[in-house]
Amino acid sequence: MADKWQFWVDRGGTFTDIVARTSEGALRSAKLLSENPDQYDDAALAGIRRMMGLEADAEIPAGAIQAVKMGTTVATNALLERKGEPTLLVINEGFGDALRIGYQNRPDIFALNIKLPETIYGRVLEVPGRMDAGGAVLTPLDETAVRAGLEAAFSDGFRSVAIVLMHAYRYPSHEQAIHRIAEEIGFTQISASHDVSPLMKLVARGDTTVIDAYLTPILRRYVDRVAAALPDVPLFFMQSNGGLTTAERFRGKDSILSGPAGGVVGAVETAAVAGFDKIIGFDMGGTSTDVSHYAGEFERTFDNQVAGVRLQSPMMRIHTVAAGGGSILHFDGARFRVGPDSAGANPGPACYRNGGPLTVTDANVLLGRIQARYFPPVFGPDGDQPLDTEVVRKKFTSLLAEVQEATGEPRSAEEIAKGFLTIAVENMANAIKQISVQRGYDVTDYTLVCFGGAAGQHACLVADALGMGRIFIHPLAGVLSAYGMGLAELRAIRQETIEKILDSDVMESLADVNKRLALAARAELAGQGVAAENIVAHPQLNLRYEGTDTTLPVDLADLADLEVAFATAHQTQFGFTDPDRRLVVASFFLETVGRVEKVSVESRVSATGASEPSPLDHVEAYLGQNSETVPVFDRDDLAPGATIDGPAIIMEATATTIVEPGWRAENADLGHLVLRRTEPRPIEFAIGTEADPVMLEVFNNLFMSIAEQMGAVLANTASSVNIKERLDFSCAVFDRTGGLIANAPHMPVHLGSMGESVRVILREREGTIKAGDVFALNAPYNGGTHLPDVTVITPVFGDDRKDGDEPLFYVGSRGHQADIG
């Protein structure tokens, strides 16, 4: 098969990236607009034709293609825009509004006019019939009423149906009967919850089933269109869990993170070749930044929320923050802000010559970190003009006058741009903390893997903000999500609810569950052409403390090892264990991997060039604190082993990499660019009585991040529904006098009174507070709200504390009595 083509495609919302391995074994890459109806019907097929040298309407020679592997946002965009298939929801009588009500947590706690997300099902059919949690039939299923309701919906044009019944994850007979009737009537898409998501929780299971029914027909039409143009070509799609599956098995519920998951796979696989096994993925584009964590195995979440819809399906743990090159810069009279709104592709940043606002990209242009002469000239009415640096300077000069009038301090336009850049970097660093530090990982041991068009511009600054000293940038970083499609393996995932106390009796039944699920998963992979010897199973248990709601995954082992592994994981993530509390096996999770032949192309992307790097140019740019003349290098001209000390700029076809002062870039043997900090990171403190608008926002974000991380741990370790589902709690940080520094967006009624609780402790315990003390109070006259609310105040001391030292600050948490103990 070596003389055949392979195509790896990431069809994004704006651009479609394609990486091809040619029939000669060389790599090529291309970018096309995902929607360009004047030139082509489908970007992926158009890209395949172009890379094979075919005419726009020519038939694709299927016999010359070994495989096509794709990720797509087709279903994601349909969900965001609410343009899925009209769907009928079938649910137990009396529960027609259960998914609409959802849980009692508020989507925006400070909104005066709460607007709930629009439901994605078009009609509800409540059917008589009910089982209890033990499988006993409380009310027989009325099949006559079911048939009448389904026929009425069918005659009104519904062709997609989601079937969601109470306790069907364990007792599916009623759902199976409704499925049979719907099939007889002629529904073309039938999603039943016991098949889609056989797990507890009616609301999350129901939403997941509705998403599957709502999106799968949209996805199927796109898949069929691609497959029709590629007859007899093996066609695979990336799932949200990071594994490939054949086109006919690709479902709506598994497609939400199809593209970003390819980026995680690409980052992991390419970093492994370079010798890095603990990485932070940093994918910065124009609208947002996606970050991920990897330390030996892919991390997934099982309870997710996308576009206001709960999704109970394994997805890559990817955290997205609204900080991209197109994030808009704001000054509100007191502080600078970056985003969350974006200029998008149209109008885009101000420098794009389309009347756009100032953005992060414009700040980089003003500071010389992006050089217009080396940026593709694709702007203006005819798409042939360079970046507009004049309008950028004009707009920053106007903003400068506004800032000076409000603050009374002399500044330069470049200082303002640097301030906005600092804030953007902190936003991205805080996003990385949420998937690493917040979960107990020390990022200083990790490598920052950068990809996406804008990551290289900010890589060193983000690494410095996190204390990381190593950065990895692959030659195909600009199209790494597409490259990841070619490096991914086929995966089949099976889950089953257990909900039993972990003891020796349940261990025997788990062995039977493992055997049954493994047979089904192996059969699925075998049906996709994977040989039996290439199938590897990874069984896990999702364990939790009895009475709590947050599970932690633990590899299947004997009883003693499971208990130790869970305690270690809980200590790492939450900072404590509860050895007197029993463990519960919430569910069984089996991931089966169909190992495929790795496409060995790394050696073919190695760079060639002069032994000593020679700069293309020298330009004025702000790298570090001041403007200076810095060299510009072409990455394609760097020989293996070449090193460049910062400050410097490295250009390539799809990205710019900034080597900050104190950093060194080395071009490794395979063309991998590895940046390392060679000098200690400078630490600067600005102390004074005036609030700097830049540092005000930086510290606001840092303190807010602490309060939010407190809330995450509290919710994840809680026992009561009040906290873990209704989110009826508050967390805040206070100074040593009891003054509020930052509160997370939790309960408004708590926030004005918690400071008084801290001051009560200071007044009544003055001079006696020691490290390790924790104070609990609930008196309404001491800052309480009502008796069921308990406030816990914890003093925080420095690591170098001495006897007699006062706390540096205080943290407070408030929640219901239901969680005491």
Side-chain angles (χ1 to χ4, degrees):
M1 304 291 280
D3 58 347
K4 290 193 175 186
W5 290 69
Q6 277 208 29
F7 292 96
W8 313 322
V9 184
D10 175 25
R11 189 189 188 282
T14 303
F15 284 101
T16 292
D17 296 343
I18 303 177
V19 175
R21 190 189 69 174
T22 71
S23 55
E24 292 80 27
L27 279 188
R28 295 182 191 170
S29 63
K31 277 182 178 285
L32 292 83
L33 286 170
S34 293
E35 300 294 338
N36 194 351
D38 293 337
Q39 295 189 22
Y40 44 78
D41 293 331
D42 182 77
L45 297 175
I48 291 173
R49 288 189 176 97
R50 289 184 187 182
M51 298 180 87
M52 296 184 77
L54 304 174
E55 295 295 328
D57 57 352
E59 182 177 333
I60 298 174
I65 301 176
Q66 180 181 349
V68 174
K69 302 175 182 179
M70 294 185 64
T72 176
T73 59
V74 167
T76 311
N77 293 340
L79 177 60
L80 294 173
E81 299 169 9
R82 294 299 196 261
K83 293 182 179 178
E85 188 80 359
T87 299
L88 171 70
L89 169 63
V90 179
I91 198 166
N92 296 95
E93 192 172 49
F95 288 83
D97 53 3
L99 303 190
R100 175 64 175 173
I101 295 171
Y103 304 118
Q104 291 189 52
N105 55 305
R106 278 69 57 188
D108 184 353
I109 199 69
F110 294 114
L112 297 179
N113 180 23
I114 292 179
K115 296 180 180 179
L116 294 175
E118 180 184 352
T119 57
I120 60 175
Y121 49 84
R123 181 187 293 187
V124 179
L125 172 62
E126 297 186 26
V127 297
R130 175 85 180 272
M131 289 185 175
D132 66 13
V137 177
L138 301 177
T139 305
L141 180 67
D142 188 341
E143 294 194 13
T144 301
V146 169
R147 184 177 294 275
L150 289 175
E151 287 177 342
F154 189 85
S155 65
D156 289 340
F158 286 90
R159 295 296 181 269
S160 185
V161 59
I163 307 169
V164 183
L165 300 184
M166 297 283 288
H167 313 302
Y169 68 92
R170 184 166 280 168
Y171 306 106
S173 59
H174 283 182
E175 281 195 356
Q176 290 167 342
I178 297 172
H179 187 289
R180 171 180 49 79
I181 296 171
E183 203 170 35
E184 292 171 357
I185 292 172
F187 283 89
T188 54
Q189 174 61 41
I190 307 171
S191 298
S193 73
H194 71 273
D195 174 54
V196 173
S197 178
L199 298 173
M200 285 182 67
K201 295 188 177 180
L202 176 72
V203 172
R205 173 164 52 90
D207 269 2
T208 305
T209 307
V210 172
I211 279 184
D212 194 65
Y214 185 73
L215 296 181
T216 299
I218 302 296
L219 202 61
R220 177 57 46 205
R221 285 193 282 272
Y222 176 73
V223 170
D224 289 347
R225 189 170 76 212
V226 175
L230 300 167
D232 300 322
V233 173
L235 180 60
F236 301 93
F237 281 86
M238 174 62 74
Q239 303 173 96
S240 299
N241 59 42
L244 294 170
T245 190
T246 53
E248 59 271 15
R249 297 176 186 270
F250 195 35
R251 302 180 65 157
K253 74 180 182 71
D254 298 322
S255 66
I256 302 299
L257 290 183
S258 179
V264 176
V265 174
V268 168
E269 295 289 345
T270 56
V273 172
F276 306 127
D277 56 356
K278 295 173 68 177
I279 68 169
I280 298 293
F282 173 44
D283 178 8
M284 183 179 180
T287 303
S288 62
T289 294
D290 294 333
V291 297
S292 54
H293 168 270
Y294 179 86
E297 62 181 14
F298 291 119
E299 293 190 339
R300 299 185 177 88
T301 58
F302 298 90
D303 292 302
N304 311 278
Q305 187 158 327
V306 181
V309 182
R310 289 157 289 265
L311 188 60
Q312 198 175 49
S313 181
M315 298 168 63
M316 285 284 197
R317 186 185 293 273
I318 299 173
H319 182 61
T320 301
V321 60
S327 294
I328 298 175
L329 313 181
H330 301 275
F331 175 66
D332 62 7
R335 62 190 179 118
F336 291 179
R337 290 186 298 108
V338 177
D341 47 342
S342 172
N346 187 17
C351 61
Y352 281 15
R353 298 181 180 272
N354 203 22
L358 286 177
T359 67
V360 171
T361 295
D362 297 305
N364 279 305
V365 169
L366 184 74
L367 296 172
R369 300 166 65 88
I370 292 177
Q371 290 291 315
R373 76 185 75 172
Y374 298 113
F375 206 91
V378 294
F379 307 101
D382 299 322
D384 58 356
Q385 293 181 263
L387 294 172
D388 189 343
T389 58
E390 291 302 317
V391 74
V392 171
R393 180 161 292 280
K394 181 179 178 181
K395 289 200 171 193
F396 266 109
T397 301
S398 176
L399 180 60
L400 171 63
E402 184 183 339
V403 173
Q404 287 182 335
E405 182 180 353
T407 64
E409 295 183 12
R411 297 172 183 271
S412 68
E414 286 77 11
E415 286 177 314
I416 290 177
K418 285 170 55 182
F420 280 117
L421 203 57
T422 300
I423 293 167
V425 167
E426 286 295 333
N427 288 343
M428 292 182 283
N430 285 337
I432 291 175
K433 289 176 184 176
Q434 289 196 34
I435 52 97
S436 57
V437 177
Q438 181 173 308
R439 302 180 58 241
Y441 302 115
D442 181 3
V443 293
T444 59
D445 294 336
Y446 286 70
T447 300
L448 188 66
V449 178
C450 298
F451 54 107
Q457 299 165 26
H458 310 90
C460 293
L461 297 177
V462 170
D464 279 343
L466 294 163
M468 302 176 72
R470 189 171 53 242
I471 299 166
F472 171 72
I473 305 177
H474 190 268
L476 293 172
V479 290
L480 198 68
S481 290
Y483 188 42
M485 308 297 169
L487 303 177
E489 298 172 310
L490 276 75
R491 295 175 187 268
I493 287 179
R494 293 289 187 276
Q495 300 178 86
E496 186 169 309
T497 296
I498 304 298
E499 288 298 324
K500 293 181 180 178
I501 297 297
L502 180 63
D503 55 24
S504 55
D505 292 336
V506 81
M507 291 299 295
E508 295 182 12
S509 63
L510 291 177
D512 294 334
V513 173
N514 185 25
K515 183 178 180 180
R516 174 163 43 82
L517 295 184
L519 285 173
R522 285 178 177 274
E524 178 180 329
L525 291 178
Q528 299 178 64
V530 182
E533 62 271 17
N534 293 329
I535 298 177
V536 180
H538 302 286
Q540 287 185 326
L541 302 180
N542 288 312
L543 303 179
R544 57 179 172 81
Y545 280 128
E546 186 179 19
T548 66
D549 204 40
T550 301
T551 63
L552 295 175
V554 177
D555 289 339
L556 183 62
D558 60 38
L559 182 59
D561 289 341
L562 284 172
E563 292 171 340
V564 171
F566 177 83
T568 301
H570 203 276
Q571 178 70 43
T572 298
Q573 184 157 337
F574 300 122
F576 73 96
T577 58
D578 192 350
D580 295 329
R581 184 174 289 196
R582 295 190 298 179
L583 296 182
V584 173
V585 183
S587 62
F588 196 105
F589 177 81
L590 179 72
E591 179 181 20
T592 308
V593 180
R595 303 207 177 278
V596 295
E597 178 188 359
K598 292 291 183 181
V599 181
S600 180
V601 293
E602 291 292 303
S603 61
R604 301 189 181 97
V605 298
S606 60
T608 59
S611 56
E612 289 295 328
S614 178
L616 288 173
D617 198 355
H618 288 82
V619 299
E620 288 294 315
Y622 281 80
L623 275 63
Q625 295 303 311
N626 303 302
S627 176
E628 58 183 304
T629 302
V630 299
V632 179
F633 297 89
D634 187 337
R635 183 168 178 175
D636 291 338
D637 291 342
L638 301 182
T643 60
I644 298 172
D645 288 323
I649 300 174
I650 301 176
M651 310 297 304
E652 56 186 295
T654 58
T656 298
T657 299
I658 301 295
V659 186
E660 298 285 349
W663 285 81
R664 172 179 293 164
E666 179 182 357
N667 195 46
D669 290 341
L670 298 176
H672 299 155
L673 200 60
V674 180
L675 283 66
R676 290 183 171 87
R677 178 161 268 290
T678 57
E679 301 174 7
R681 179 168 59 102
I683 301 177
E684 299 181 3
F685 296 97
I687 300 175
T689 57
E690 297 296 326
D692 179 273
V694 175
M695 299 312 295
L696 186 65
E697 178 68 3
V698 169
F699 278 98
N700 174 64
N701 291 340
L702 289 173
F703 291 131
M704 183 64 75
S705 177
I706 293 172
E708 289 175 344
Q709 290 178 46
M710 290 170 60
V713 173
L714 181 57
N716 285 332
T717 58
S719 297
S720 75
V721 173
N722 282 329
I723 287 181
K724 66 189 179 184
E725 287 190 4
R726 294 186 61 237
L727 306 182
D728 188 357
F729 64 87
S730 290
C731 294
V733 181
F734 302 88
D735 66 18
R736 61 177 58 185
T737 67
L740 179 65
I741 296 175
N743 57 259
H746 295 148
M747 290 296 291
V749 70
H750 294 163
L751 303 177
S753 59
M754 285 180 71
E756 181 59 31
S757 297
V758 179
R759 288 187 284 274
V760 167
I761 299 298
L762 293 174
R763 186 169 62 247
E764 298 190 2
R765 301 287 180 145
E766 185 178 7
T768 67
I769 299 175
K770 306 184 300 297
D773 287 350
V774 179
F775 303 91
L777 66 161
N778 75 331
Y781 288 99
N782 289 344
T785 45
H786 62 162
L787 284 174
D789 275 340
V790 178
T791 307
V792 176
I793 306 297
T794 307
V796 181
F797 293 80
D799 291 335
D800 56 349
R801 64 182 180 272
K802 305 178 185 64
D803 291 341
D805 283 354
E806 293 184 357
L808 298 177
F809 60 94
Y810 295 82
V811 293
S813 307
R814 179 171 287 176
H816 270 263
Q817 287 181 351
D819 243 81
I820 290 179

